[in-house]
């Protein structure tokens, strides 16, 4: 049996998971892995702070299975390279060549590990000094040759360079030049190229020969999840791949540890890694990105320049930062602290550590967006990609490539263009004047369309024909491909935004004023890029917001195209999650181009015995009223009162913590408002609820989540019990572990189907039906595929919510589903397999009182 170097004794299902993961990577497949999150019984309670949540068995299984394969692969690459197939050579010659190659690789590994060992020792000695924030390096000295200059010189810096290129192709060129993608200064670009942090296209062939051995890219949704993952990696100790294989004395050197630290690198956005206060204090990521790029442009005032950007003077600091990042596992916060201590930008300097790393972690946008990978110089060829929490992967990809623009933004960008033209019109030459005129016409056309829609349409949203967007005067003569390319290459948006900021400064407007800082024309440019997308891939919509602010949106309907680039480039791709069911959407709509042989699906059972879970649908309320929480029927006072009475009865018999998930925030507010109203000659339902347990509510804006979790936990620890009213798809439904007493009961109210009457969902279902029709050849099967997709979207959200309970082998809980539709086999089949095994009252025929009796017996047989 393979040793996966698990820090604990793994459960059988975890061994199954790791073996399957190893084989999937080895065979170069795409894996869809479902593993209910299970922690080890040494821990029972969750801390109130999200970042301190306990680790998971799934995470350790992913780490141990993938890193074991990686270390084995490192050996294979040096023992059996492809060029050793020389039949005419004697065996001893081939063996000698292998021995030399292994010796070289081992010496190289020893050299790197020797440096890292010294850094680890140095960090231990200087720990106290580092904690006090003292830096042992001098901070970067600003380049005194770049002066602010006169006001006239500074204003002239916003004038566009001449643009006379007519070599445009008919399609927009996606820049592979990191100068264009990253927006960094020439000096910084040259330095980053020398350090191997950027591939200069001119030297790409030479750079490709640099060592870039197989590694693992691990991706998750949030930085808090990546921080939890880093904590789990610290537990794992795996032997060096080449340790002692040559039999030389050097390989037995005591200077190298036989079991080594994983060379680990955390990548993140500027929001998490920026250490320059004038930029990091800004409120939004677009503002941070634009301000950072702006401060690297010529003409930036000397006092505003960032002192941490890599340059010739701090090249040694970048190398020092790289070695420190590889010396031990650091999460994203520690990367920022390290940059502060050394005195170099961790956002840019971290790129130097990508190639020598074994395990690179990064959030969704940095991996899933091609432009982000190019900006970071990330190549996936030959490497392994693991995407955790992949249940929402298709939505994440669609959202990344969808763009929304408001009428107010279009009007503001039109105003900014007018101000810019008023100042520079006479100085603009050639193609600049032509393209800016086209841009103005296109903006005017979109404004005219939205204003017309506001007057004519009574609908809240609707589908938009792209021809209607292009109906403005002279717009039909515009070559959109050329215009989009011009916007990319000329950096017009940055020039216009920068000039407007300069104008506001001149008028004593605060530099960090959100209105002046928001790169509105950049957002408009992003929307224009969608106008050249293939028509089949997405649709355009208009919508009217709560404050009657009209907007246009491009929504990507087909995420498979953008994900295909990752699948085709990487050696293997793993989609993992605790609740991936229903799984057919991934094979049909995310990976439709792959044969069944390329896809490996594994759904693990839970670590708990079957008797530790009681799952049941309750289809009738205490009075015998059918529980029907469809949108048309759930709003009656009888239905809301029956729901309240049901929760009262459940809170009386379920001990400790009870979490109730509602289908929407609106319905939660409607129900609680009704319950708080006093009934005729009776106490309110709310007063009866708070008699049984302390009651807590999740807020719609997500504010105070940690406070609510802390108070909920303390109430349970104090013996008062807790009732937490939450929402499916809200903050409490993902990433929160309600283990042990925190989640003895989980109740789901209704089925959270998306609103099928919105223009976006109508377009989605039409797209699914049409693509399924072309694939399956039957209109009936196409309709069924659309229905399955619609139901799967609902049940993935349900499964995420019910998966918050049962977190380790000795845990136990009941999962209750309130709605008559839960007794149908079609819905039950979409529940995770481990829940299906514990289903009772499948047909929903048992009366309410009998369901309560069964729940009571379940908890009577357990010890708290």
């Amino acid at each position: 049996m393979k040793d996966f170097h698990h820090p604990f004794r793994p459960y059988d299902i975890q061994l199954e998971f790791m073996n399957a993961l190893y084989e999937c990577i080895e065979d170069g497949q795409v894996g869809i892995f479902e593993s209910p999150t299970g922690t080890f019984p040494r821990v029972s309670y969750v801390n109130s702070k999200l970042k301190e949540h306990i680790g998971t068995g799934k995470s350790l299984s992913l780490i141990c299975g993938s890193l074991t394969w990686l270390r084995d692969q490192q050996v294979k690459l040096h023992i059996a390279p492809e060029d050793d197939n020389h039949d005419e050579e004697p065996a001893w010659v081939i063996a000698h060549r292998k021995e030399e190659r292994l010796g070289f690789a081992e010496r190289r590994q020893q050299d790197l590990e020797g440096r890292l060992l010294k850094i680890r020792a140095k960090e231990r000695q200087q720990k106290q000094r580092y904690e006090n924030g003292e830096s042992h390096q001098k901070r970067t000295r600003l380049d005194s040759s770049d002066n602010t200059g006169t006001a006239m010189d500074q204003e002239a810096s916003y004038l566009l360079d001449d643009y006379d290129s007519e070599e445009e192709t008919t399609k927009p060129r996606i820049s592979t030049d990191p100068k264009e993608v990253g927006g960094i200064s020439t000096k910084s670009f040259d330095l980053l190229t020398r350090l191997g942090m950027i591939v200069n296209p001119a030297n790409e062939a030479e750079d490709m020969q640099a060592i870039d051995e197989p590694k693992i890219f691990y991706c998750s949704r949030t930085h808090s999840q990546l921080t939890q993952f880093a904590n789990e990696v610290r537990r794992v100790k795996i032997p060096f791949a080449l340790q002692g294989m040559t039999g030389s004395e050097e390989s037995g050197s005591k200077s190298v540890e036989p079991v080594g630290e994983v060379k680990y690198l955390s990548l993140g956005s500027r929001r998490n890694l920026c250490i320059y206060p004038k930029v990091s204090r800004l409120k939004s990521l677009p503002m941070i990105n634009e301000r950072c790029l702006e401060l690297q442009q010529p003409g930036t005032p000397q006092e505003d320049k960032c002192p941490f950007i890599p340059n010739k003077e701090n090249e040694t600091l970048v190398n020092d930062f790289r070695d420190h990042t590889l010396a031990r596992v650091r999460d994203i916060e520690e990367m920022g602290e390290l940059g502060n201590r050394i005195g170099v930008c961790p956002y840019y300097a971290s790129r130097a550590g990508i190639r020598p790393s074994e395990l690179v972690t990064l959030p969704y946008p940095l991996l899933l967006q091609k432009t982000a990978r190019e900006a970071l110089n990330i190549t996936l060829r030959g490497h392994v990609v693991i995407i955790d929490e992949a249940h929402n992967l298709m939505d994440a990809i669609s959202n990344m490539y969808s763009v929304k623009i408001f009428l107010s933004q279009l009007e503001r960008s039109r105003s900014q263009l007018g101000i810019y033209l008023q100042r520079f019109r006479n100085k603009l030459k050639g193609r600049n004047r032509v393209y800016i005129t086209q841009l103005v016409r296109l903006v005017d056309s979109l404004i005219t369309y939205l204003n017309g829609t506001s007057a004519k349409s009574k609908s809240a949203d609707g589908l938009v024909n792209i021809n209607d967007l292009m109906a403005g005067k002279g717009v039909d003569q515009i070559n959109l491909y050329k215009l989009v390319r011009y916007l990319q290459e000329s950096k017009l948006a940055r020039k216009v935004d920068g000039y407007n900021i300069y104008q506001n400064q001149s008028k004593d407007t605060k530099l960090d004023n959100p209105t002046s800082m928001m790169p509105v024309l950049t957002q408009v440019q992003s929307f224009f890029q969608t106008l050249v997308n293939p028509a089949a891939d997405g649709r355009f919509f208009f919508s009217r917001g709560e404050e009657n602010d009209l907007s246009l949106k491009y929504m990507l309907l087909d995420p498979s195209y953008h994900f295909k680039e990752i699948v085709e480039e990487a050696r293997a791709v793993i989609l993992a999650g605790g609740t991936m069911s229903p799984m057919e959407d991934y094979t049909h709509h995310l990976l439709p181009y792959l044969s069944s042989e390329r896809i490996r699906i594994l759904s693990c059972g839970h670590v708990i015995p079957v008797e530790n879970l009681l799952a049941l649908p309750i289809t009738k309320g205490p009075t015998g009223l059918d529980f029907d929480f469809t949108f048309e029927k759930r709003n009656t006072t009888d239905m809301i009162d029956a729901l309240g009475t049901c929760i009262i009865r459940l809170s009386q018999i379920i001990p400790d913590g009870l979490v109730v998930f509602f289908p929407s925030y609106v319905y939660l507010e409607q129900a609680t408002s009704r319950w708080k109203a006093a009934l005729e000659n009776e106490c309110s339902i709310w007063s009866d609820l708070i008699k049984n347990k302390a009651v807590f509510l999740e807020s719609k804006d997500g504010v105070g989540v940690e406070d609510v979790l802390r108070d909920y936990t303390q109430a349970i620890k104090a013996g008062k019990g807790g009732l937490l009213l939450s929402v499916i798809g809200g903050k409490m439904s993902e990433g929160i572990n309600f283990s042990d007493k925190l989640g003895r009961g989980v109740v789901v109210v209704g089925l959270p189907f998306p609103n099928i009457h919105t223009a976006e969902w109508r377009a989605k279902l039409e797209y699914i039906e049409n693509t399924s029709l072309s694939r399956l050849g039957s209109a009936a099967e196409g309709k069924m595929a659309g229905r399955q997709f619609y139901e799967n979207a609902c049940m993935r959200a349900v499964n995420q919510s019910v998966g918050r309970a049962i977190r380790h082998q000795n845990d136990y809980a009941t999962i209750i589903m309130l709605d008559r539709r839960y007794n149908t086999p079609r819905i039950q089949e979409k529940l995770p397999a481990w829940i299906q095994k514990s289903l009772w009252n499948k047909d929903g025929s048992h009366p309410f009182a009998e369901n309560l009796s069964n729940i009571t017996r379940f908890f009577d047989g357990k010890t708290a």
Side-chain angles (χ1 to χ4, degrees), residues 3-8 18 40 42 56-69 71 120 216 228-240 257-264 328-329 358-359:
D3 181 7
F4 289 101
H5 310 283
H6 202 287
F8 306 100
M18 290 185 288
F40 294 90
R42 52 188 170 75
T56 69
K58 173 170 65 74
S59 296
L60 280 174
S61 297
L62 286 170
I63 294 165
C64 295
S66 59
L67 284 180
T68 299
W69 174 87
R71 292 286 168 90
R120 291 170 194 144
I216 298 161
Q228 295 176 38
F229 184 79
N231 291 333
E232 295 305 297
V233 174
R234 293 186 180 105
R235 302 180 188 275
V236 179
K237 304 295 180 183
I238 296 184
F240 288 119
E257 299 168 336
V259 176
E261 294 274 355
V262 176
K263 288 182 276 296
Y264 181 99
R328 66 177 179 86
V329 176
E358 294 177 303
L359 178 55

Side-chain angles (χ1 to χ4, degrees), residues 324-359:
H324 275 77
T325 58
L326 299 178
R328 66 177 179 86
V329 176
R330 299 177 193 271
D331 60 35
I332 201 69
E333 291 184 1
E334 292 170 320
M335 292 284 284
E337 294 168 0
L338 179 64
N340 255 321
R341 292 168 187 163
I342 293 179
V344 69
C345 172
Y347 174 74
Y348 285 115
S350 59
R351 304 179 189 188
I354 294 177
R355 282 182 176 263
S357 295
E358 294 177 303
L359 178 55

Side-chain angles (χ1 to χ4, degrees), residues 203-491:
N203 301 324
E204 187 169 1
E206 179 182 348
D207 188 79
M208 289 297 291
Q209 300 175 7
I211 297 172
D212 189 21
E213 293 182 349
K215 60 175 58 63
I216 298 161
F217 288 95
Y218 173 88
C219 174
S220 194
R221 287 191 310 115
T222 65
H223 282 294
S224 62
Q225 291 168 340
L226 294 174
T227 296
Q228 295 176 38
F229 184 79
N231 291 333
E232 295 305 297
V233 174
R234 293 186 180 105
R235 302 180 188 275
V236 179
K237 304 295 180 183
I238 296 184
F240 288 119
L242 304 173
Q243 181 66 29
M245 292 194 63
T246 62
S248 65
E249 293 183 4
E250 291 179 346
S251 65
S253 172
K254 295 183 180 180
S255 65
V256 178
E257 299 168 336
V259 176
E261 294 274 355
V262 176
K263 288 182 276 296
Y264 181 99
L265 177 66
S266 296
L267 296 178
S269 65
R270 287 182 178 89
R271 184 201 294 275
N272 299 95
L273 291 176
C274 178
I275 59 175
Y276 188 37
K278 290 185 178 181
V279 177
S280 61
R281 69 187 181 192
L282 298 176
K283 296 179 180 180
S284 71
L285 181 58
M287 293 167 67
I288 291 173
N289 286 338
E290 285 300 309
R291 186 60 175 152
C292 174
L293 297 177
E294 179 193 331
L295 295 185
Q296 298 177 56
Q297 302 305 310
T300 301
Q302 184 96 355
E303 62 273 13
D304 288 334
K305 280 181 173 287
C306 177
F308 304 109
I309 293 293
N311 55 42
K312 291 182 179 180
E313 294 185 8
N314 62 10
E315 183 172 349
T316 57
L317 300 186
V318 175
N319 292 329
D320 195 22
F321 182 89
R322 177 199 62 206
D323 289 346
H324 275 77
T325 58
L326 299 178
R328 66 177 179 86
V329 176
R330 299 177 193 271
D331 60 35
I332 201 69
E333 291 184 1
E334 292 170 320
M335 292 284 284
E337 294 168 0
L338 179 64
N340 255 321
R341 292 168 187 163
I342 293 179
V344 69
C345 172
Y347 174 74
Y348 285 115
S350 59
R351 304 179 189 188
I354 294 177
R355 282 182 176 263
S357 295
E358 294 177 303
L359 178 55
V360 179
T361 64
L362 63 173
Y364 272 14
L366 297 187
L367 177 76
L368 299 178
Q369 289 182 303
K370 183 177 181 179
T371 53
R373 296 196 303 272
E374 289 175 341
L376 292 171
N377 188 31
I378 290 177
T379 174
L380 302 178
R381 189 163 303 283
H383 304 311
V384 178
V385 173
I386 298 177
I387 302 177
D388 204 356
E389 302 297 330
H391 60 275
N392 62 351
L393 178 60
M394 289 184 291
D395 289 339
I397 296 173
S398 294
N399 291 337
M400 286 176 194
Y401 288 93
S402 299
V403 182
K404 189 173 187 178
I405 187 75
F406 288 91
L407 175 59
S408 57
Q409 292 176 311
L410 287 167
E411 291 173 337
R412 193 158 76 246
S413 65
R414 180 61 178 88
S415 173
Q416 291 183 355
L417 281 168
I419 294 172
Y420 185 83
L421 284 173
Q422 185 178 0
R423 178 64 187 88
F424 295 108
R425 184 187 304 274
N426 295 331
K427 296 182 179 181
L428 294 174
K429 299 178 182 179
R431 307 305 299 175
N432 278 325
R433 181 176 295 182
V434 172
Y435 283 123
I436 293 178
T437 300
Q438 292 179 355
L439 176 62
V440 169
R441 287 180 177 176
L442 186 52
V443 171
D444 285 341
S445 184
L446 299 184
I447 292 173
T448 301
Y449 174 82
L450 283 175
N451 283 327
T453 300
S454 177
K456 297 177 183 178
S457 177
K458 296 181 180 179
S459 302
D461 63 357
L463 192 64
V464 175
N465 188 321
I466 189 172
N467 293 328
D468 294 337
L469 297 178
M470 310 288 290
K473 181 180 178 181
V475 176
D476 60 337
Q477 302 298 316
I478 296 175
N479 185 323
L480 286 176
Y481 295 106
K482 290 185 176 183
L483 178 59
V484 168
R485 178 179 176 181
Y486 169 78
L487 293 174
Q488 289 176 336
E489 295 184 347
S490 68
K491 302 295 185 292

